[in-house]
Amino acid sequence: MTTATTTHLDEPAIWLGCLSCYNSGRLTGKWITAEQAAEPEAAETLNGLASVETVGEYTASRSRKCFGDEFAVMDHQLIPQSCADTKEFYDNAEQLAELHNTGELETITLLASNLSMETLSELIKYHQTNYQGEHDTMNKFAEHLIDEGVIEIPASLPAHWIDIDAIARDLAYDHFEIAGHIWRNS
């Protein structure tokens, strides 16, 4: 049995496998990172996993091992579920690599695990519009908004009269938190 031995746990990637080989009891495929998939003409040969063959009007990428023409993402890491499809991964590879390099991909992947959006661009737009930052709890977020002056507390009020828990509960109607990251509902 052939298996991939190297994984890139620190960057977005898919494990692309040949379905014909899989159905024959062989595990043939490879890990492909977003950076590798973003290279010109990478999608055509599936980063060397396949060769392109044309018969009449039909052009297909065929497995170098068994000449099968069907491939599937059998595993993925550090990418939203919506990109765990061969076409979506190759179409969004450059953007995934860029998001990974800026550190936003992990947060967007967290968001994707809790929202159902069809495309990566929808997720990115939602994140860029509604992300409020990383705060341990909704109470910490409320304190941050008070410190920044977004929520104004009259100076005449004694500090012990301010109910942070109540403010946090009110914020929870318009915001949600995932693993310490907060987004505004839209």
Side-chain angles (χ1 to χ4, degrees):
M1 178 190 331
T2 306
T3 58
T5 56
T6 305
T7 58
H8 304 279
L9 297 176
D10 61 339
E11 55 187 309
I14 60 170
W15 197 86
L16 191 62
C18 171
L19 287 178
S20 181
C21 291
Y22 178 78
N23 290 334
S24 298
R26 295 182 315 273
L27 192 56
T28 303
K30 68 190 274 187
W31 280 103
I32 301 170
T33 66
E35 271 189 31
Q36 292 169 332
E39 295 171 6
E41 299 171 15
E44 198 170 276
T45 64
L46 303 174
N47 288 90
L49 188 59
S51 57
V52 179
E53 207 174 276
T54 303
V55 177
E57 294 179 22
Y58 180 70
T59 300
S61 298
R62 296 202 170 270
S63 170
R64 292 186 188 276
K65 296 280 184 185
C66 71
F67 305 106
D69 63 353
E70 293 181 284
F71 297 87
V73 175
M74 302 207 183
D75 196 5
H76 63 91
Q77 60 191 17
L78 301 176
I79 61 172
Q81 182 66 38
S82 61
C83 292
D85 169 85
T86 309
K87 181 177 179 351
E88 283 295 315
F89 182 72
Y90 277 96
D91 288 350
N92 295 298
E94 191 173 323
Q95 199 167 22
L96 287 168
E98 182 181 321
L99 288 169
H100 174 67
N101 292 336
T102 62
E104 289 183 276
L105 185 59
E106 183 180 337
T107 311
I108 289 173
T109 302
L110 273 174
L111 179 64
S113 66
N114 288 274
L115 292 180
S116 57
M117 295 198 173
E118 295 296 317
T119 65
L120 181 63
S121 59
E122 287 176 324
L123 274 168
I124 292 168
K125 183 177 179 185
Y126 188 94
H127 173 73
Q128 290 172 340
T129 305
N130 298 305
Y131 187 62
Q132 301 297 304
E134 188 172 2
H135 305 278
D136 293 335
T137 63
M138 199 60 83
N139 284 23
K140 296 283 185 193
F141 178 52
E143 290 171 2
H144 169 75
L145 292 178
I146 291 168
D147 292 344
E148 294 293 314
V150 176
I151 296 176
E152 292 184 26
I153 305 292
S156 61
L157 270 181
H160 66 277
W161 282 14
I162 300 169
D163 188 353
I164 296 293
D165 291 334
I167 295 171
R169 276 193 307 274
D170 288 346
L171 286 170
Y173 287 111
D174 296 326
H175 298 79
F176 63 95
E177 180 263 337
I178 305 167
H181 296 273
I182 296 179
W183 288 268
R184 185 176 41 250
N185 289 328
S186 66

